[in-house]
């Protein structure tokens, strides 16, 4: 499917002065794609040149279209010497290759130079004409849509979720090639930027091919990462979840009654090609085969944090056989797959059946300096190994799938830690593959899935479980067993019943390590890892208890390796799940009970802890309804709560495989203070300060317990680097430094964003790295979202009502869902649509308890009321805004004397030409509806300076660079016709400095989805005329909760 | 543990108005932090001094990066690096170009040259405004002057178009540019009691009535519309002012003029007798000031002369303000009924 790429260079503005003599510039532009280059005329002596070029046409393969970026270079013409480069613009034309994304890229792009930063802007128009091609063995995968969003994108619905796709490509790093010794830093940076751009394109194309093989048409939760392995090369790898998506036809599709899902959105031939032969994954032209030899298998796979209830007994009666059946079914669907992994963190309703717990695996590898062209697939093998391990961990938990799956690396010199983690889960096979689902099973499944607590129920066959743990009956449905604590890497399911609000919980840890070389170093790291995992996990547990909560969502544990230390940083959002038992307190036990003063000290500490727990419960509004023991059921035979480190078979050492965290006493969590270290731990527990009032924070998409977001959002990135004093570094001092660093950073954020109160920091994403011996770098990206306080209080009081609201939301979603299902034309679908419709409706509202069913009406009524209030408020606002506008014009008009005010540019700044582009790490924009996905944004930048002091030192340098990166992302989105980036993530921010040489260099990699959104208020105004307007407020209310 | 690097970058650039003011006032980061601590912000927010320090540094860095753009405000509107809502952009520009009354009085009418810039530290000590802030204000004056100096058309419009200032501020700048261009002396001790507002008022009237761009009022022929319409005084008009000498030189005309004014004002003026007694002196003073304006040196001394020759005599006789106004109006009105005189001087001094 070849295509024609057309490019037009329109104009430039704000160009830098290149000719000191005239204070002007003679600019021209080179447009390069592949090996073809075009040039514009030279626009003499202007800082705002108008080229208005002809259309430059490139006739190219679609393979190239996918791989190559369009490269636009702005130069200053010089008659006598070489032309000076002003800067470049790389444009990824991938978004133009989908059938329904952007059709044209047109707009002002910042002209970027790796040494000088942004130098003016250039206006470019890019178009692509694609010709259809019936070649079965094509190498391209045009038309496969990519999304960074880790849930089903808002204006699509999932027909089938196929599963895991992964790929990696390897190349030499230009920075380490011999030629780098003789070329300028600029040339070297540009070579690197171009190469990575090329590799990402290739990677995306290859993943696309795999998706087409699976008969999917999209990749959701696409995560692409770079491993800068130094001399051993550059790895670009990506994972994602292949899906078949259908676009919901109307932009206002969230109003279920207004528009039924349409059937006509069938896959176009473009996105659903005939099946074709498998391709080897390592035959790219740029692949130079630099895989390293694996010297030794340092495979340490550490923890499976298992918090599942594993008792034997009573729950099995009806659940047991059913579960077995279900498992069989799921198994058949999943077992065809090598890795039943899903990078999604939020799922369509009904997809997630049970959640087992967090599974993770790490492996320490040595990067070999010797290029070994015979073993190009080393890195593939490494990852395959880790994934296999994850899979077996999940199996051990009785789960067949892993959701919320992610992979990461940390590299220091030649040592590399590969990590993977996810949440073991049991999934509803309905979505996984066509045709394999049996009707009766489905029916039973629906009946047995109470909303709001189903996912908490233990997922495995109780009789078979090797892990004794504290189990209780579910506090919600009283039928199934639940564990006492649940850790997951996914977002809180929409239908989960949560009491109170959630909060960000972090565990931070440093461990010193001796400097060593090669294998000795790798061994040392491998030996440290299990202890770190254990301690991080203990810290998380303690902090969770201290908050009075019982579940963690969005858990992300990052272990970074440096020259002389290891750092662990775990972030998660703690919540109180109504289905799980009330967490016990923390009890402190001293080792030497005879010492009076010591005991006093202990009891003092105990009191402090109890106070903190009580305070936290109040702060996060955790007040679960009292329940008597009898209702809950008999205590479980073995009332011991255990945490276990599950080790893989490949682990050779015989360390203690089981670490008992509790001391028998039911519900209480005992901390033993037997040495100063433990004392320190307890202290550090108490030093975490809660955010100031009006602030909440979480690292998940939305804050549990807040569902009335207003539209103001502020995305930000904050970076801090501290230098440790190299003298007498101890683990304790390190821990304290690291802890202070993170706490201070958070405090700073709260202070800076104080004008947004009440607000919530969502998707708080911490990354820690150790760029040098004594340096710790922490990077935070998050978004602050304001919310309506009054309504928040109201909802907090009536949490039960809220859950009912949720139920009604589900209702609406389900209304839509079965209809969609019938439209996906699965040949063997057993149900007539109406039947399923009824079932799901009944399963949703009827199941949990009678009390719930009766009050549904009330809740939807309340819902409607609040939405009406919202609507009225919005209207009032627009009216007020309008009136302000008019008064302004009156003011303007009245005092005008003479002709002095002829062309007064009305309040000077009001007519800004730059459109606002919102950026958010979330998959949605509060108060707005995403109407179109324009394509993935995946950009890589290098910035270097040799005049660090002049640019304001390291802070000035990085501040300017990050601002520039934001600007370039915004410009690309705007050129695609979008007004926001969702699921934005800064995947890498590698900063290196050499203050002595006055130099610094930084690499940043960002990605996200470019979208078009429409404010809900505008939608409402537009749709009030429609006859179906009645249904709308309720729907809008539902939207808020999702 | 020392912080090597500490930054915060928002997708929408955060602007703290208080910190912006401190920055504009030329305080160093540490002074600004101290001032913020004193404002009680720590108690209000529960923040620590370290947080405040980091926050202040961040803002200063942002402002420093923005300053380049503020030098050409239209650039701020079109740039892509900082996403700032329009209302905030307007605020940034307006505050950046705002100036201190005390400072402007020191440099008003002075040549905006390097020489004056060197005197800024004296001005700084005298007014208590930080040198940094003085420099910014001086550079603003100079920048605006340079940009509009060679431009045709209305001064206020030009300033507004190129600096996106509010109407009020643009008029002030027009006055500053006008004074700097004509180098009116405003620093003499005698003139110290006059505020910038007084001068700005005069400047506006002079731009409207005395310059080449002032259409209709001045007796100029329309094809003499060269550049600097609003900046330079109309030479022909000044030449014509010489003709006014007749008012004091011709005894009959003087008496006639006096009688006309006296008849009209009888009973309306509290200081009628003083006026009657002094009419000849006052009239001579005014006319002499007007007639001398063909010399650049005398143009510069316009305000000094007006104060010496007219205002001080009035003041020594304790004329109320209203009486002065009535007298001047009548004074110029009566001339018209004399011999077809046209008189456009508006002695507009408080």
């Amino acid at each position: 499917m070849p295509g024609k790429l057309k490019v037009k260079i329109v104009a430039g503005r704000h160009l830098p002065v290149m000719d000191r003599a005239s204070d002007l510039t003679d600019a021209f532009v080179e447009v390069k794609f592949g090996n073809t280059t075009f040039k514009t005329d030279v626009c003499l002596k202007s800082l705002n040149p108008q080229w208005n070029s002809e259309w430059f046409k490139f006739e190219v393969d679609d393979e190239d279209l996918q791989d190559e970026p369009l490269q636009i270079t702005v130069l200053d013409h010089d008659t006598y010497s070489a032309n000076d480069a002003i800067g470049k613009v790389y444009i990824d034309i991938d978004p133009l290759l989908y059938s329904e994304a952007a059709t044209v890229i047109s707009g002002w792009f910042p002209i970027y130079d790796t040494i000088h930063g942004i130098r003016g802007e250039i206006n470019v128009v890019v178009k692509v004409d694609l010709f259809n091609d019936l070649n079965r063995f094509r190498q391209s995968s045009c038309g496969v849509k990519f999304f960074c969003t880790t849930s089903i994108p808002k204006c699509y619905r999932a027909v089938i979720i196929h599963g895991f796709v992964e790929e990696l490509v390897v190349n030499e790093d230009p920075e380490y090639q011999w030629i780098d010794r003789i070329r300028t830093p600029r040339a070297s940076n540009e070579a690197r930027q171009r190469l990575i751009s090329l590799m990402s394109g290739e990677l995306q194309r290859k993943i696309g091919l795999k998706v087409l093989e699976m008969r999917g048409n999209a990749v959701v939760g696409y995560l692409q990462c770079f491993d800068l392995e130094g001399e051993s090369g550059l790895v670009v790898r990506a994972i994602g979840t292949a899906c078949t998506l259908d676009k919901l036809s109307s932009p206002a599709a969230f109003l279920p009654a207004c528009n039924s899902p349409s059937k006509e959105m069938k896959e176009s031939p473009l996105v659903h090609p005939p099946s074709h032969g498998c391709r080897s994954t390592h035959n790219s032209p740029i692949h130079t085969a630099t895989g390293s030899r694996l010297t030794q298998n340092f495979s340490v796979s550490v923890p499976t944090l298992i918090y599942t209830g594993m008792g034997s007994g009573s729950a099995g009666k009806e659940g047991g056989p059913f579960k077995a059946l279900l498992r069989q079914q799921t198994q058949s669907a999943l077992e065809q797959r090598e890795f039943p992994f899903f990078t999604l963190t939020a799922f369509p309703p009904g997809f997630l059946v049970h959640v087992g717990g967090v599974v993770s695996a790490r492996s320490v590898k040595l990067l070999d300096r010797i290029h070994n062209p015979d073993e190009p697939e080393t890195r593939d093998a490494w990852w395959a190994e880790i994934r296999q391990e994850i899979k077996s961990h999940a199996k051990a938990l009785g789960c067949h799938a892993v959701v919320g799956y992610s992979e990461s690396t940390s590299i220091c010199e030649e040592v590399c830690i590969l990590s993977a983690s996810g949440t073991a889960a049991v999934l509803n096979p309905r979505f996984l593959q066509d045709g394999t689902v049996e009707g009766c099973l489905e029916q039973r499944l629906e009946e047995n899935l109470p909303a709001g607590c189903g996912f908490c129920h233990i997922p495995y066959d109780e009789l078979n479980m090797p892990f004794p743990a504290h189990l209780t009956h579910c506090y919600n449905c009283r039928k199934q067993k639940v564990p006492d604590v649940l850790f997951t890497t996914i977002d809180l399911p929409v239908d989960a019943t949560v009491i109170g609000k959630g909060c960000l919980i972090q565990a931070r840890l440093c461990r010193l390590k001796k400097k060593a070389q090669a294998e000795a170093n790798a061994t040392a790291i491998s030996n440290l890892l299990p202890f770190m995992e254990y301690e991080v996990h203990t810290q998380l547990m303690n902090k969770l208890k201290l908050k009075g909560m019982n579940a963690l969502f969005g858990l992300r544990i990052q272990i970074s390796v440096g020259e002389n230390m290891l750092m662990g940083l775990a972030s998660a959002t703690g919540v109180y799940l109504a289905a799980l038992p009330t967490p016990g307190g923390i009890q402190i036990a001293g080792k030497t009970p005879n010492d009076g003063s010591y005991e006093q000290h202990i009891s003092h500490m105990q009191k402090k802890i109890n106070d903190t727990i009580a305070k936290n419960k109040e702060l996060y509004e955790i007040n679960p309804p009292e329940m008597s023991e009898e209702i809950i059921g008999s205590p479980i035979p073995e009332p011991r709560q255990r945490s276990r480190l599950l080790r893989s078979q490949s682990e050779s050492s015989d360390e203690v495989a089981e670490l008992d965290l509790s001391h028998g006493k039911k519900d209480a969590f005992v901390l033993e203070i037997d040495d100063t270290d433990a004392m320190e731990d307890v202290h550090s527990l108490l030093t975490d300060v809660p955010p100031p009032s009006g602030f909440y924070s979480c690292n998940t998409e939305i804050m549990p317990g807040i569902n009335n977001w207003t539209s103001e959002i502020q995305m930000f990135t904050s970076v801090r680097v501290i230098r440790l004093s190299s003298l007498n570094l101890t683990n304790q001092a390190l821990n304290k430094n690291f802890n202070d660093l993170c706490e201070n950073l958070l405090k700073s954020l709260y202070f800076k964003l104080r004008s947004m109160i009440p607000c919530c920091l969502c998707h708080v994403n911490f990354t820690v790295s150790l760029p040098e011996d004594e340096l710790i770098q922490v990077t935070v990206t998050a978004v602050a979202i304001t919310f309506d306080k009054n309504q928040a209080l109201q909802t907090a009081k009536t949490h039960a009502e809220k859950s009912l609201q949720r139920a009604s939301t589900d209702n609406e979603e389900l209304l839509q869902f079965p209809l969609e299902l019938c439209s996906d034309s699965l040949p063997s679908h057993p149900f007539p649509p109406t039947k399923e419709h009824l079932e799901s409706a009944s399963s949703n509202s009827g199941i949990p308890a009678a009390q719930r069913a009766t009050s549904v009406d009330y809740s939807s009524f309340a819902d409607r009321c609040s939405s009406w209030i919202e609507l009225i408020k919005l209207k009032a606002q627009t009216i007020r805004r309008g009136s302000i506008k008019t008064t302004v014009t009156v003011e303007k008009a009245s005092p005008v004397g003479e002709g002095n005010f002829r062309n007064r540019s009305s309040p000077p700044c009001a007519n800004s030409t730059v459109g606002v582009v919102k950026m958010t790490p979330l998959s949605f924009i509060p108060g707005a509806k995403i109407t179109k996905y324009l394509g993935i944004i995946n950009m890589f930048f290098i910035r270097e300076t040799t005049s660090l002091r002049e640019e304001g030192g390291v802070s000035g340098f990085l501040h300017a660079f990050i601002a520039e990166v934001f600007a370039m992302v915004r410009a690309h989105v705007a050129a695609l016709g979008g007004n926001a980036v969702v699921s934005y993530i800064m995947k890498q921010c590698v900063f290196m400095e050499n203050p002595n040489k006055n130099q610094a260099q930084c690499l940043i990699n960002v990605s996200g989805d470019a979208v078009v959104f429409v404010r809900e208020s505008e939608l409402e105004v537009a749709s009030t005329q429609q006859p179906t307007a009645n249904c709308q407020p309720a729907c809008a209310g539902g939207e808020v909760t999702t | 543990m020392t912080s090597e690097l500490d930054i915060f970058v928002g997708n929408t650039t955060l602007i703290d108005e208080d910190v912006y003011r401190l920055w504009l006032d030329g305080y160093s980061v540490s002074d600004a932090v101290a001032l913020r601590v004193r404002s009680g912000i720590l108690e209000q927010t529960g923040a620590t001094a370290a947080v405040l320090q980091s926050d202040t540094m961040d803002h200063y860095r942002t402002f420093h990066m923005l300053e380049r753009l503020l030098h050409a405000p239209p650039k701020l509107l079109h740039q892509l690096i900082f996403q700032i809502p329009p209302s905030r952009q307007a605020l940034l520009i307006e505050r950046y170009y705002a100036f201190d009354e005390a400072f402007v009085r020191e440099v008003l009418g002075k040549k905006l040259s390097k020489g004056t810039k060197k005197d800024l530290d004296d001005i700084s000590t005298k007014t208590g405004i930080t040198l940094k802030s003085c420099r910014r204000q001086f550079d603003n004056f100079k920048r605006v002057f340079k940009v509009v100096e060679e431009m045709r058309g209305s001064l206020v419009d030009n300033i507004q178009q190129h600096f996106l200032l509010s109407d009020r501020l643009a008029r002030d700048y027009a006055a500053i540019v006008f004074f700097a261009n004509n180098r009116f002396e405003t620093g003499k001790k005698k003139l110290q009691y006059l505020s910038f507002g007084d001068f700005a008022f005069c400047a506006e009237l002079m731009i409207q009535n005395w310059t080449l761009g002032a259409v209709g009022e001045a007796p100029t022929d329309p094809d003499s519309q060269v550049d600097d319409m609003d900046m330079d005084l109309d030479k022909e008009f000044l030449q014509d002012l010489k003709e006014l000498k007749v008012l004091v030189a011709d005894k009959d005309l003087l008496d006639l003029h006096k009688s006309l004014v006296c008849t009209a004002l009888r009973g309306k003026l509290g200081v009628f007798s003083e006026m009657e007694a002094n009419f000849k002196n006052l009239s001579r003073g005014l006319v002499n000031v007007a007639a001398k304006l063909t010399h650049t040196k005398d143009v510069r001394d316009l305000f000094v002369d007006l104060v010496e020759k007219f205002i001080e005599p009035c003041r020594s006789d304790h004329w109320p303000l209203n009486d002065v106004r009535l007298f001047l109006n009548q004074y110029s009105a009566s001339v018209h009924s004399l011999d077809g005189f046209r008189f456009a001087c508006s002695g507009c001094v408080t």
Side-chain angles (χ1 to χ4, degrees), chain A residues 393-466:
Chain A
H393 286 341
K395 268 229 171 77
L397 283 175
C399 297
H400 301 284
V402 175
V403 293
Y405 180 74
S406 65
E407 295 175 346
S408 63
T409 57
S410 171
I411 298 171
C412 179
E413 301 291 325
E414 74 261 284
V415 175
C416 173
I417 303 181
L418 312 182
S419 313
S421 72
T423 305
V426 174
L427 304 178
N428 185 339
R430 189 172 67 180
F431 295 89
L432 297 174
Q433 205 56 276
D434 23 84
T436 54
V437 191
E438 268 175 45
C440 58
L441 174 69
E442 178 124 8
Q443 192 175 359
R444 294 194 55 175
L445 182 77
E446 294 287 353
E447 277 167 10
N448 281 285
L449 257 189
C453 64
F455 74 95
C456 308
H457 298 163
I458 46 170
Y460 53 77
D461 186 5
E462 298 90 277
L463 304 168
N464 241 346
M465 280 318 289

Side-chain angles (χ1 to χ4, degrees), chain B residues 84-108:
Chain B
I84 305 171
S87 61
R88 286 269 143 168
Q89 286 180 343
L91 178 125
L92 283 173
I93 297 169
E94 194 75 4
R95 292 261 177 90
Y96 189 78
Y97 282 92
F99 49 80
D100 290 307
E101 168 88 25
F103 177 77
V104 75
R105 277 298 279 112
E106 291 297 322
V107 294
L108 191 67

Side-chain angles (χ1 to χ4, degrees), chain B residues 5-22:
Chain B
L5 185 159
D6 178 6
I7 56 159
F8 174 99
V9 191
N11 183 36
T12 306
T13 307
L14 279 185
I15 309 282
D16 186 311
E17 287 183 41
D18 299 334
V19 185
Y20 189 47
R21 199 177 290 278
L22 291 170

Side-chain angles (χ1 to χ4, degrees), chain A residues 323-391:
Chain A
K323 266 181 195 150
L325 188 58
L326 173 65
R327 189 161 54 249
Q328 250 172 22
Q329 289 296 333
T330 323
Q331 213 156 1
S332 63
L334 285 170
E335 237 158 39
Q336 300 143 356
R337 260 157 250 176
E338 195 183 3
F339 299 114
F341 297 168
F342 301 86
T343 53
L344 304 179
T345 58
F347 310 93
F351 182 75
L352 195 66
V353 181
H354 298 304
V355 168
V358 171
V359 287
S360 79
R362 286 178 214 283
S363 157
V364 183
K365 301 287 184 191
L366 265 187
L367 304 170
D368 205 318
R369 284 163 197 279
I370 307 154
H371 299 313
N372 189 346
D374 300 332
E375 253 186 294
E377 294 186 344
T378 314
R379 301 224 170 11
D380 262 343
W382 288 357
W383 286 110
E385 213 175 276
I386 292 224
R387 288 171 192 144
Q388 205 59 53
E389 214 169 297
I390 289 273
K391 193 179 169 187

Side-chain angles (χ1 to χ4, degrees), chain B residues 122-141:
Chain B
D122 294 339
I123 296 177
S124 168
T125 1
K126 191 175 161 194
T127 56
I129 299 163
T130 60
L131 183 59
K132 233 176 166 178
S133 179
C134 288
R135 288 224 177 97
R136 172 182 60 85
Q137 297 180 37
F138 181 82
D139 289 342
N140 282 344
F141 295 164

Side-chain angles (χ1 to χ4, degrees), chain A residues 508-509 511 535 538-539 542-543 546 605 609 671-687 732 735 739:
Chain A
R508 304 154 187 146
L509 186 69
R511 276 285 166 273
E535 244 175 275
T538 313
Q539 250 188 58
N542 289 345
K543 288 188 177 175
L546 202 65
M605 204 108 97
I609 287 183
L671 280 183
E672 223 171 84
I673 303 186
D674 46 3
D675 59 9
T676 44
D677 263 9
M679 195 68 109
E680 205 63 38
D681 288 347
V682 175
H683 272 302
S684 73
L685 269 184
L686 295 167
T687 50
Q732 262 177 40
N735 277 336
N739 220 18

Side-chain angles (χ1 to χ4, degrees), chain A residues 13-14 108-110 118 121 692 713-725 736-738 740-741 744-745 747-749 751-755 775 895-905 908-919 952 954-960 962-964 966-967 970-971 991 993 995, chain B residues 1-14 16 18-19 36 41-42 44-48 50-52 54-59 61-62 64-65 68-69 73-91 93-94 153-157 160-161 163-167 171 204 207-208 230:
Chain A
R13 68 182 181 197
H14 306 152
W108 290 99
F109 290 89
I118 289 179
E121 289 122 38
I713 63 170
Q714 166 71 291
M715 189 281 297
F716 59 85
T717 292
S718 185
V719 184
R720 274 195 191 187
V721 176
I722 56 159
R723 185 176 290 281
L724 303 161
S725 50
K736 191 177 173 320
N737 277 333
F738 185 37
D740 287 352
L741 172 60
N744 288 339
L745 188 46
K747 273 185 215 156
S748 261
L749 298 181
F751 180 76
K752 280 201 176 289
L753 298 164
R754 64 191 185 284
S755 65
L775 294 184
V896 172
E898 315 288 278
N900 274 359
F901 306 92
R902 273 159 270 153
N903 42 357
R904 253 194 73 194
S905 41
C909 292
N911 53 349
S912 168
T913 52
V914 184
V916 172
V917 175
K918 300 222 174 204
M919 290 169 77
V954 285
S955 294
F957 170 71
L958 196 60
H959 191 145
I962 292 179
E964 285 173 345
F966 286 180
R970 287 192 303 255
F991 177 72
E993 54 165 328
Chain B
M1 185 178 94
T2 49
S3 222
E4 283 273 300
L5 185 159
D6 178 6
I7 56 159
F8 174 99
V9 191
N11 183 36
T12 306
T13 307
L14 279 185
D16 186 311
D18 299 334
V19 185
R36 291 182 84 187
I41 197 164
L42 294 185
Q44 281 165 34
T45 57
T48 62
V51 166
L52 205 60
S54 131
D55 180 65
T56 312
M57 285 284 281
D58 251 329
H59 284 301
R61 217 178 298 118
T62 310
H64 182 73
M65 286 190 261
R68 189 176 52 84
L69 298 164
K75 265 195 189 167
L76 186 70
L77 259 66
H78 294 285
Q79 55 82 31
L80 302 175
I81 299 179
F82 302 97
Q83 186 160 279
I84 305 171
S87 61
R88 286 269 143 168
Q89 286 180 343
L91 178 125
I93 297 169
E94 194 75 4
S154 149
L155 193 55
V156 179
D157 275 1
Q160 224 163 27
Q161 216 159 55
F163 292 93
L164 310 173
L165 303 179
S166 70
D167 187 44
R171 283 158 186 262
E204 199 171 339
I207 291 170
Q208 270 171 32
D230 275 1

